[in-house]
Amino acid sequence: MSFSAKVHSIWRVPLILSMTAVLATLSVFSSLFDSTGRTQHWWARLWGRFIIFVSRVKVEVSGLEHIERHRGYVFMANHLSMFDHWAFLAELPLQFRFAAKASLFKIPFLGWHLQRSGSIAVDRYHPRETIRRFREIGDKIRSGLSVVIYPEGARTWGDAMAPFKRGSFMLAKHARAPIVPVTIIGAHRRLERGSFIIQPGEMELIFHPVVEFEDYKGIKLDALSNMIREIIQSRYRQVPS
């Protein structure tokens, strides 16, 4: 980790935290007038673009031609860093919501935005409640709203991809939704898990061809999990620190 990166984080991190508080407050306020979550998503996209810009991170995107803007999808990606969220917000030109750990919903400002924007709280200690939310979001996916979910369940340490959890695939099946596997490369080199030091540089988002519901509806959850994981891993590569 370079001395320069540490110095630049001295001003970047407070600026990002301040802007997070401001934009989350505006998002929550706008939710009083817009129950659809669209305005909140606009604020979130601005937040993601701001952080990408301030951090001097370049996001290389490929595969967006596979996506039709009027459809709802379940985007499934490996999870390396907080930059995964910001890259999705900055680069994915669809209305979507995150499926996120329930603990994130308790964080001031960020949690308030997640609650008011219609994001999905995933709580491993209350699986029945999570399944109920999955069923609710299924109707929204079929009407054109997309969901971004990380099947590993949490950010990984280092380069290795963790096993995928079944709940992500239960959501997709309940919603009868097309799945878009997404490979993320290099995000942890921009911001490692457990660190506040941002390193400018590049990362990649690779959108794979759509896996339609008709193509996986007869596949058991474990086999489907392995299939999607193999697709994501097929383009994954380690990036030197």
Side-chain angles (χ1 to χ4, degrees), residues 81-152:
S81 166
M82 283 296 293
F83 267 98
D84 302 337
H85 308 311
W86 300 325
F88 267 115
L89 287 168
E91 303 296 340
L92 182 57
L94 298 177
Q95 277 285 321
F96 67 89
R97 306 292 180 263
F98 285 107
K101 291 189 301 183
S103 59
L104 293 178
F105 287 70
K106 299 176 183 179
I107 298 175
F109 298 107
L110 176 60
W112 304 339
H113 162 76
L114 290 172
Q115 290 176 14
R116 300 293 292 184
S117 66
S119 294
I120 308 167
V122 179
D123 189 345
R124 63 180 178 175
Y125 300 109
H126 298 90
R128 290 184 180 178
E129 176 64 18
T130 297
I131 293 299
R132 184 184 69 80
R133 293 294 314 278
F134 281 1
R135 289 172 179 158
E136 290 176 0
I137 206 71
D139 292 335
K140 295 181 180 180
I141 293 173
R142 287 189 290 273
S143 68
L145 181 70
S146 293
V147 172
V148 171
I149 191 166
Y150 304 108
E152 291 163 293

Side-chain angles (χ1 to χ4, degrees), residues 28-83:
V28 171
F29 179 75
S30 68
S31 72
L32 301 175
F33 308 96
D34 179 8
S35 61
T36 68
R38 287 181 171 272
T39 306
Q40 298 92 297
H41 184 69
W42 186 89
W43 288 115
R45 293 203 72 191
L46 182 62
W47 178 57
R49 289 170 174 170
F50 172 81
I51 294 174
I52 294 289
F53 173 76
V54 167
S55 303
R56 288 173 36 213
V57 170
K58 181 179 180 182
V59 184
E60 297 283 352
V61 182
S62 60
L64 284 177
E65 68 273 9
H66 302 307
I67 297 166
E68 300 174 43
R69 297 201 177 197
H70 69 280
R71 299 185 71 190
Y73 300 94
V74 175
F75 292 90
M76 295 189 178
N78 59 310
H79 195 15
L80 298 165
S81 166
M82 283 296 293
F83 267 98

Side-chain angles (χ1 to χ4, degrees), residues 129-195:
E129 176 64 18
T130 297
I131 293 299
R132 184 184 69 80
R133 293 294 314 278
F134 281 1
R135 289 172 179 158
E136 290 176 0
I137 206 71
D139 292 335
K140 295 181 180 180
I141 293 173
R142 287 189 290 273
S143 68
L145 181 70
S146 293
V147 172
V148 171
I149 191 166
Y150 304 108
E152 291 163 293
R155 286 170 289 164
T156 55
W157 294 98
D159 293 298
M161 195 180 300
F164 284 4
K165 301 181 184 301
R166 292 161 53 98
S168 307
F169 304 93
M170 293 177 67
L171 166 60
K173 281 205 166 187
H174 276 302
R176 304 171 65 88
I179 297 173
V180 179
V182 184
T183 302
I184 301 176
I185 300 171
H188 62 312
R189 300 304 184 202
R190 311 287 64 86
L191 180 64
E192 294 181 3
R193 180 178 178 180
S195 174

